[in-house]
Amino acid sequence: MTQAATATATVDKKIYCGICEAACGLIATVQDNEVLKLRGDPDHPQSQGFICPKGASFSSIRNDPDRVLRPLQRQADGTFREVDWDVALDDIGQRLGAVIKAHGRESVGVFLGNPNGWNYGAFLWLVGMAAALKTKHFYTASSLDINNYWVVGHLLYGRNLANPFPDIAHTQFFVVLGSNLVVSHGSMMTAGRVKEKLQGIVDRGGRVVVVDPRRTETAQNFEWQPITPDGDPWLVAAMLKTLFDENLVDTAGLKEKTSGWESLPALLSGITPQRVEAETGMSYAAIQQLARDFKAAPSAVMYGRCGASLGPFSTLTKYLIDVFNIASGNFDRRGGWVFGRPMIDLELFTHLFKVDGYDRWRTRVDNFPEVLGSAPLACMPREIRTPGKGQMRALLIGAGNIATTSCASNDMRDALGELDLIISLDPYVTETNRQAHYILPPTLWIERDGMPVFSQSHNTVPHAQWAPATVQPRGEARHDWWIIDQICKRIGLVPSGSRVAQWLGKLGIRLSPGTVVDLFMRMAPEGDWFGLRPNGLSRKKLYATGGPIKLQDDPPVGVWRKKVHHKDKKVHLQHAIIIEEMRRMLARAPSTSEAFPLRLISQRELQSQNSWLHNSPRLMTANRVHRLRMNPNDAARFGLHEGDTCTVTSAHGAITSPIHLTDEMMEGVVALPQSWGHRGGWKHAVAAGGSSYNELTSNAVQDMDLPSGNAVLNGIAVRVQRVAASAAQQAA
Ligand SMILES: Nc1nc2c(c(=O)[nH]1)N[C@H]1C(S)=C(S)[C@@H](COP(=O)(O)OP(=O)(O)OC[C@H]3O[C@@H](n4cnc5c(=O)[nH]c(N)nc54)[C@H](O)[C@@H]3O)O[C@H]1N2
Ligand SMILES: Nc1nc2c(c(=O)[nH]1)N[C@H]1C(S)=C(S)[C@@H](COP(=O)(O)OP(=O)(O)OC[C@H]3O[C@@H](n4cnc5c(=O)[nH]c(N)nc54)[C@H](O)[C@@H]3O)O[C@H]1N2
Ligand code: SF4
Ligand SMILES: [Mo]
């Protein structure tokens, strides 16, 4: 038969991209279970046809020759052998059962990595497995970048996941603290076409001020305000103080919507102009003017992300950002700090399933408060090594590359080697799971049905989308949730914290996550109430629509009474934890010293997604070189030149990197893309070389954000010394 005779017609499917929080609407052209093309969906209400290189190249990941397509079992010599699913699952069940028998369920750990944000089934089943084990060893990528949000959501609004975000389509004044939106496409704000939306602010006569130690791709296009790393809480505290000092505070709003606001002047009393200037590198007069301009704008909003979340006072910083937005009168109003209209109310969902919460228990070794039922990842190596009841002995890793992405990655890698059993669900043999006893191949987002479980809460254009699998899985890849379910079955567990699920499990009934989420959605505010609300949502309806359904044009405003969950319906502004954090910050000594005169910050790249797209030759092109960016004046100070190979040394480790001189860095600050320096079986990623940023970071308790357990990954004090001169220098 000729090819022409067998080929089936191409089909266009409306889906959304499951790589990052932007969740862009895409059109996939599919033929014979192959994705021929991925392009932006011009009709998508939020992303309006946008697609980035990662989304457009995803077929190269799905068809990657290094992708794991059958379960891998590690052999005594460290190599892996392919085995059948039954063999793998039965053996895992036995070995996990033996660990539980000897050391109890609380000795088993679960890690939930970033890609689960686009994998509702894995997300629910990992959370459920940890709950059913009743283990305190539940760790998530959130403690690398976002636990501060969950703590502040809990303190201010009464739920971890309560998260107001900027009404970017209407604001007239946008202050961005530590977010490179043009590259990252946003986090905790799902904007779609974010660069155009930022430009829209300027086009309608407004301002965009980007506060960042680096003149980033975002800062280049708008107003750049350099800031010393970790200066953000000082900056925002000084701006808030300016509002109070100059009687610019929205007192009526504070009285109506908040409690404890009278305590704010006392909280800010230790903030002095001299100290603020020393900590931020900005003039106090300029900061006061920024606060006045913000207040004078018809609407204004301040937004902070990783640059404001990866420092030592990230909970305090996030608290101050929210308070500043509220105190300036921009809370829950058009162009200000608004709440979303999600298709699935995660705040309610996590509350009903008792996942939501803070400080209901403490970690065994370091006494950190639990956040959303999880412990900080930075604590994991100590939990593995410290003997006693509850010592961690086994770990299931669901989509995580923590030997690279965790703080103190070397220590993490070594500690993992001390476990009795590691099971990794991952499409690659990475530097993390090459130590695993089993690597189990998951389907990728394009091979399973999906709804953007995480980012739908912060849609700037509220809409609903639930797409069936675009293509069938390759090889023997299985859905993550199915794998977790099969492992749980073999140790007698139903992966759920819900009593109903446990009870059904006893009757032999195991619901799929799709059914659970559909049932919940149909009963929740946006649901069809099983026919009582014909315009409401169900999975069936969303499948039948074959694309997104817009719920309304803009995020709702005037809804704070519904969105604040404290019993008194007020935003709570006074907290002992915050007062203590302010005291600690005021007492803190400077980070740099003669030995470590520079500050290192992380850099995200357009063609990377954390650590996991580096094996695609389409994305990891030959011209991509891993190098440390430095201001030319710093280079002159230390006698360094463009292209020199240098050691970068912190108090915790040393790595080697070529340097690149650029005035996009403010003086005193160097930047390095995170998550390079791969090891393992992803050959192209390994061949790309580079060094691993997190060998320089710390997991010591005193180096973490104490209220949230967030790691500190930015502002690391380092020195940079030449190992070898560049070729140009050698020739001269
Ligand atoms: N292309 C791409 N997109 C991504 C990702 C990716 O790896 N690549 N990752 C995704 C993930 S998991 C997340 S959480 C989001 C993150 O989204 P963003 O937070 O927007 O991402 P970053 O690029 O890390 O932006 C942080 C910015 O803070 C600056 N910065 C560093 N230290 C400080 C400081 O102390 N103060 C201030 N004010 N700024 C500072 C950095 O220079 C950087 O520009 O991006 C997501 N999107
Ligand atoms: N120095 C420094 N370190 C950082 C950051 C920083 O800014 N600076 N950023 C931090 C941030 S914001 C985050 S979110 C974390 C992320 O940290 P992680 O959650 O550890 O990392 P990722 O690199 O996103 O991906 C983890 C793994 O998931 C696998 N994977 C991809 N899709 C799937 C899937 O569908 N199923 C399964 N089972 N596996 C899948 C990938 O192959 C990869 O090995 O890193 C943090 N680390
Ligand atoms: S921005 Fe994120 S969601 Fe959009 S296409 Fe790129 S990777 Fe996918
Ligand atoms: Mo992240």
Side-chain angles (χ1 to χ4, degrees), residues 405-456:
T405 54
S406 171
C407 52
S409 50
N410 272 349
D411 193 39
M412 177 61 80
R413 184 201 58 208
D414 294 347
L416 290 177
E418 297 175 33
L419 287 167
D420 296 343
L421 180 64
I422 304 175
I423 305 146
S424 162
L425 278 54
D426 206 293
Y428 287 110
V429 180
T430 68
E431 47 276 11
T432 300
N433 63 17
R434 67 179 177 154
Q435 300 193 84
H437 299 84
Y438 279 98
I439 301 174
L440 304 176
T443 52
L444 297 172
W445 59 271
I446 205 157
E447 299 166 339
R448 58 182 178 244
D449 75 295
M451 42 86 46
V453 59
F454 180 64
S455 47
Q456 49 105 28

Side-chain angles (χ1 to χ4, degrees), residues 205-264:
R207 284 175 65 188
V208 177
V209 180
V210 182
V211 184
D212 200 302
R214 181 175 158 245
R215 195 176 66 239
T216 59
E217 295 77 354
T218 311
Q220 276 166 27
N221 287 288
F222 303 96
E223 295 175 46
W224 179 37
Q225 173 56 62
I227 187 168
T228 304
D230 303 338
D232 308 77
W234 296 93
L235 166 68
V236 190
M239 289 175 73
L240 188 57
K241 194 167 156 62
T242 304
L243 294 189
F244 277 100
D245 289 348
E246 302 185 5
N247 261 328
L248 296 173
V249 166
D250 172 26
T251 317
L254 285 173
K255 277 184 183 161
E256 185 192 8
K257 298 171 190 158
T258 75
S259 74
W261 65 274
E262 304 89 340
S263 67
L264 292 172

Side-chain angles (χ1 to χ4, degrees), residues 2 107 124 250 267 270 351 366 377 400 402 405 445 563 622 694:
T2 62
S107 68
L124 291 180
D250 172 26
L267 178 74
H351 180 67
D366 298 321
L377 186 61
I402 53 183
T405 54
W445 59 271
K563 295 287 185 174
N694 283 324

Side-chain angles (χ1 to χ4, degrees), residues 569-595:
K569 290 285 159 208
K570 300 228 168 176
V571 184
H572 291 186
L573 298 186
Q574 189 175 5
H575 299 279
I577 300 166
I578 297 297
I579 295 167
E580 172 57 14
E581 284 303 281
M582 182 60 91
R583 189 198 63 72
R584 277 200 326 119
M585 186 177 84
L586 293 170
R588 191 174 162 101
S591 300
T592 47
S593 61
E594 233 174 90

Side-chain angles (χ1 to χ4, degrees), residues 502-564:
Q502 294 299 339
W503 179 74
L504 287 173
K506 281 194 185 121
L507 300 176
I509 303 167
R510 292 172 97 91
L511 299 179
S512 73
T515 307
V516 173
V517 173
D518 187 33
L519 280 173
F520 176 80
M521 180 173 73
R522 295 184 71 183
M523 289 187 284
E526 298 295 344
D528 69 352
W529 300 355
F530 303 95
L532 290 175
R533 275 184 79 229
N535 288 332
L537 303 175
S538 67
R539 177 173 53 175
K540 196 171 158 198
K541 175 169 176 179
L542 286 162
Y543 273 12
T545 309
I549 297 180
K550 186 152 111 177
L551 300 174
Q552 63 187 74
D553 288 338
D554 296 300
V557 290
V559 292
W560 64 275
R561 279 193 182 80
K562 270 197 274 171
K563 295 287 185 174
V564 177

Side-chain angles (χ1 to χ4, degrees), residues 86 166 218 232 244 301 322 348 360 390 410 472 562 611 702:
D86 281 345
T218 311
D232 308 77
F244 277 100
V301 65
D322 281 58
L348 182 63
R360 290 165 295 180
N410 272 349
Q472 293 307 303
K562 270 197 274 171
S611 75
Q702 69 272 17

